């Protein structure tokens, strides 16, 4: 089924691209509920739009050619400015298209609300992400560890990322896995995902935040639950992820160390912190917004109930 | 004395920066030299620099727009080149040069190319289509132009003295804040937008009042040409949207200069408010640019199909609906800022709703050609090219409005491709079509058709090659504004895009060649009738170029397309009796105020407060002084008006 869906997209809009491998077309090779639904939506809407576009483009050129003055057609009628039939079609075609797409927008926007935790009763696994100039800091509060420029998450389990930034406005982007969402200083935003299989994906800051923003990238590793548990244990002892670049290891990430980390830099190596001071994320947000309090993460069911 | 301006601000630190500065200064000196060589200063002074004539102000606007188009396009070429070169590991732009270039490109193309081009076309055409002798406020009109020119001058001079902003054309804080960017770059951007914001707002006021108060007798609202309707709606958008921008950049300026906290992340400021205010202007801006282009297409299609526009009243309603809805959709620029699903969905659907009237317009242009006699004048090429390419951009626009799709395409090259797909085929093709359509009206001879068609193909093919790959690159996850391409697999598509940019370069060169060839061969291409295309609206009923007072006798309008209907029925238009005409006296004051605004901005950017105060006082003095001038109109006696009528009749074969 997935193969069939991919067909028209590859065929129609992306002829020119050099193949459609996972690495070059992450969005068209989605993983997990969010990525897959968003891809599905992309295909359906492209198809609907093409259904309207192609006739319009052909019709325009055809009419212009058919009624060229040199053809000298006899049915020239300078007063032909109104026809119930044509006017009906010209209003209903756009109207129906937009009504269909509008309905889909309503449904999918609610279904894919980035704030909605996936799964129903299961409490999502929490990861905190801080966007720095020009690197990403990920804190795993449950395991008490932190990483720079490497995101590791479990599969088969809903995950919530709490996001903030210091000091620029940026946007987290893991094509094919999560919805893009802004990270802003003094604020918390969220992204949710549920990956089914272990895999690897590139992540980035998609929002320009100064020269060097394009180096604010990271690799996302989705691990099977037992591997993930082993990784958190290992990371607390300074062990790098197997099969990935060896990490630089630091002891403890507290506010004092954070002040060093926040200084603008480019191309930082993957770094592991064996331990993290417990309220660091909250303290980072409070640098800008002293009134901020971190609330506990809802489950999918609780979020829907509250909405 | 010089504030923070030092020797280091001059562009001697890099070859590319120096080259840009040298070209800017060299081109400026060359123009001055040529004017001096041909002894044109007196003519220029009398006919253009001091004029209050809407036609000449319109022409000056378009000259500014074309100059800025070239400048903005060189930026585009550098960006395409840098991205392509860096994908193979050899980028040539160093430091933050790439960032300056894309910031300048966006700022120039929106504020100093598209907006002046629109203001220029409207200035020239609007009073002629209304049967009016000028816009409602000729002095304010000239002032708007000179302020725009002053602001454009600030952007140009930033290439020579200091640097330009690296914050993009949207200038989001906190990046554009003084903590992160204390230099002059963002200040150049702030002051250029602030000054041109005032200018455009005044332009909007002028156009609205002109349409409301200066229509020819009998021209009821539903007898106005579609172009006039689109200008009315576009001007109303200006009045509502532009103050939001002017306020947003002014508050940002206060944050930067006086360390206030409107848009900072801490101390109670809120950076999201800037995003909100900016797009409250930014989205309507697109529509205020594209509506007049729709107006041009409507005129062109009807004229060259030899038919009335299909579904006139539906077109008017569609325009008005677009005007209203365009002001209610700005949130789609930040679906990813974390608003609730319901808020996002409402704005997404509102955005799509614009697709209905726009789609209707496309169909109406199609059916205007249906059962017509389509002549393939070069303006028709631009129009057909627009219809084919614009619908693709419309489709990707609707896709962006579907919130979860936007989550994936936001901030990527896909978005860049989308809005260029609206602004190049939608806006620019429209303006160029208008330029080629009305050129003979302005200068009395037609433009070379062959070079016009070559320019069209350069633009159409170039646009397609340059931006279709960007759609794909966006889906491959390439964030916009990336200076150094990190993934070599992007290279093939970037090469295609660069080739596209070269085709556009050919298109621009062809536009210039067309102008040169047409001026050279003007004797063969004289428009003696005043109506070279068998036009439909009132501007074609007067000689080309029109006399200073436009209409020797004011026409009386009894229906839509009154002029075309009169021609078809083989009768003449009805006119009010001729009489003396009052015309505004040329004045130097608007130019003085424009130059002062330039100096004021320049002084504020470099902290030269003495110059700031001085230029402010000059502006204030000029304004107060002007209000004491009682005799700001001169009377063209009836004899001369009638003489104009006779020569016009002689030349134009009795058109009027
Ligand atoms: Cu918009």
């Amino acid at each position: 089924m997935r193969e069939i869906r991919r067909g028209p997209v590859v065929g129609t809009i992306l002829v020119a691209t050099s193949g459609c491998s996972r690495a070059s077309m992450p969005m068209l090779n989605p993983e997990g509920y969010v990525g897959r639904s968003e891809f599905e939506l992309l295909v359906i809407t492209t198809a609907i739009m093409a259904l309207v576009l192609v006739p319009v483009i052909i019709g325009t050129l055809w009419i212009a050619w058919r009624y060229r003055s040199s053809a000298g057609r006899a049915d020239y009628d300078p007063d032909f400015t109104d026809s119930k039939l044509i006017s009906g079609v010209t209003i209903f075609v756009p109207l129906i298209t937009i009504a269909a797409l509008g309905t889909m927008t309503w449904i999918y926007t609610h279904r894919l609300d980035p704030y909605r935790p996936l799964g129903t009763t299961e409490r999502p696994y929490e990861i905190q992400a801080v966007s720095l100039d020009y690197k990403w800091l990920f804190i795993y509060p449950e395991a008490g560890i932190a990483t720079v420029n490497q995101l590791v998450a479990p599969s088969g389990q809903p995950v919530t990322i709490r996001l903030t930034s210091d000091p620029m406005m940026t946007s987290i982007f893991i094509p094919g896995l999560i919805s893009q969402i802004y990270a802003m200083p003094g604020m918390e935003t969220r992204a949710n995902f549920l990956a089914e299989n272990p895999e690897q994906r590139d992540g980035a800051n998609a929002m320009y935040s100064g020269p060097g923003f394009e180096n604010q990238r990271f690799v996302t590793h989705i691990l099977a639950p037992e591997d993930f548990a082993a990784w958190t244990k290992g990371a607390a002892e300074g062990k790098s992820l197997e099969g990935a670049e060896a990490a630089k290891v630091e002891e403890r990430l507290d506010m004092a160390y954070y002040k060093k980390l926040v200084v603008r830099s480019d191309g930082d190596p993957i770094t592991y912190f064996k331990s993290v001071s417990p309220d660091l994320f909250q303290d980072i947000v409070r640098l800008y917004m002293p009134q901020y309090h971190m609330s506990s993460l809802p489950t999918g069911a609780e979020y829907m109930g509250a909405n | 004395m010089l504030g923070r301006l030092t020797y280091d601000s001059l562009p001697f630190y890099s070859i590319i920066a120096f080259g840009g500065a040298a070209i800017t200064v060299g081109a400026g000196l060359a123009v001055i030299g040529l004017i001096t060589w041909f002894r044109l200063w007196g003519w220029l002074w009398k006919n253009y620099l001091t004029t209050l004539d809407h036609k000449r102000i319109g022409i000056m606007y378009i000259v500014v727009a074309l100059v800025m188009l070239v400048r903005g396009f060189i930026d585009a070429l550098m960006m395409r080149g840098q991205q392509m070169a860096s994908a193979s590991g050899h980028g040539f732009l160093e430091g933050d040069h790439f960032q300056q270039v894309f910031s300048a490109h966006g700022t120039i193309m929106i504020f100093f190319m598209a907006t002046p081009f629109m203001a220029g076309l409207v200035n020239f055409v609007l009073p002629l289509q209304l049967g009016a002798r000028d816009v409602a406020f000729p002095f304010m009109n000239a002032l708007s132009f000179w302020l725009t020119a002053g602001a454009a001058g600030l952007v140009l001079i930033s290439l020579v003295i200091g640097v330009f902003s690296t914050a993009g054309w949207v200038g989001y804080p906190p990046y554009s804040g003084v903590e992160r960017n204390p230099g002059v770059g963002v200040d150049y951007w702030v002051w250029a937008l602030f000054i041109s914001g005032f200018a455009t707002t005044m332009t909007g006021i002028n156009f609205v009042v002109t349409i409301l108060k200066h229509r020819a007798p009998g021209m009821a609202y539903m007898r106005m040409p579609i172009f006039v309707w689109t200008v009315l709606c576009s001007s109303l958008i200006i009045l509502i949207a532009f103050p939001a921008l002017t306020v947003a950049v002014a508050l940002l300026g206060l944050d930067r200069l006086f360390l206030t906290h409107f848009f900072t992340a801490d101390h109670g400021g809120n950076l999201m408010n800037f995003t909100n205010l900016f797009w409250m202007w930014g989205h309507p801006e697109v529509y205020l640019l594209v509506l007049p282009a729709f107006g041009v297409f409507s005129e062109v299609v009807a004229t060259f199909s030899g038919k009335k526009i299909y579904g006139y009243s539906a077109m008017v309603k569609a325009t008005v609906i677009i005007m209203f809805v365009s002001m209610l959709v700005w949130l789609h620029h930040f679906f990813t800022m974390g608003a609730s699903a319901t808020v996002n969905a409402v704005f997404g659907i509102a955005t799509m709703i614009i697709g209905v009237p726009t789609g209707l317009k496309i169909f109406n242009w199609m059916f205007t050609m249906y059962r017509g006699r389509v002549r393939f004048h070069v303006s028709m090429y631009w129009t057909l090219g627009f219809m084919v390419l614009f619908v693709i951009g419309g489709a990707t626009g609707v896709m962006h409005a579907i919130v979860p799709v936007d989550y994936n395409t936001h901030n990527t090259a896909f978005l860049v491709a989308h809005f260029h797909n609206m602004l190049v085929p939608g806006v620019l093709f429209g303006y160029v079509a208008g330029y080629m359509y009305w050129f003979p009206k302005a200068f009395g001879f037609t433009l070379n058709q062959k070079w016009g068609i070559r320019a069209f193909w350069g633009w159409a093919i170039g646009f397609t090659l340059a931006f279709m790959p960007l759609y794909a690159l966006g889906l491959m996850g390439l964030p916009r504004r990336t200076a150094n391409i990190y993934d070599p697999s992007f290279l093939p598509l970037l090469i295609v895009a660069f080739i596209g940019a070269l085709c556009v370069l050919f298109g621009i060169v062809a536009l210039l060649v067309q102008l040169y060839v047409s001026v050279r061969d003007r004797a063969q291409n004289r428009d003696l009738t005043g109506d070279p295309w068998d036009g439909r609206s009132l501007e074609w009923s007067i000689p080309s170029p029109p006399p200073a007072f436009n209409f020797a006798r004011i026409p009386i309008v009894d229906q839509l397309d009154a002029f075309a209907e009169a021609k078809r029925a083989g009768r003449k238009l009805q006119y009010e009796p001729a009489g003396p005409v009052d015309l505004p006296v040329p004045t130097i004051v608007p130019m003085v105020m424009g130059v002062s605004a330039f100096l004021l901005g320049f002084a504020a950017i470099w902290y030269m407060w003495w110059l700031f105060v001085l230029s402010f006082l000059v502006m204030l003095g000029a304004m107060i002084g002007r209000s004491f001038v009682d005799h700001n109109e001169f009377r063209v006696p009836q004899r001369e008006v009638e003489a104009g009528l006779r020569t016009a009749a002689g030349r134009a074969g009795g058109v009027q």
Side-chain angles (χ1 to χ4, degrees), chain B residues 283 329 332-333:
Chain B
H283 186 85
V329 301
H332 66 211
H333 294 270

Side-chain angles (χ1 to χ4, degrees), chain B residues 279 282-287 326 329-333 351 354 418:
Chain B
W279 289 115
H283 186 85
E285 162 75 10
V286 178
Y287 282 87
S326 76
V329 301
W330 76 93
L331 197 126
H332 66 211
H333 294 270
T351 305
I354 296 188
H418 159 67

Side-chain angles (χ1 to χ4, degrees), chain B residues 51-52 57 61 137-150 195 198-200 202-203 206 587-595 597 619 622-623:
Chain B
T51 187
L52 295 187
I57 291 171
Y61 262 121
F137 308 112
F139 178 82
M140 191 164 83
N141 194 24
L143 182 58
S144 299
F145 167 75
W146 283 105
L147 288 180
T148 307
I195 295 169
F198 267 96
T200 310
M202 291 194 294
T203 304
N206 225 331
T587 164
I588 186 183
V589 177
M591 188 170 75
V592 168
M593 290 180 75
V595 173
M619 281 179 88
M623 210 153 70

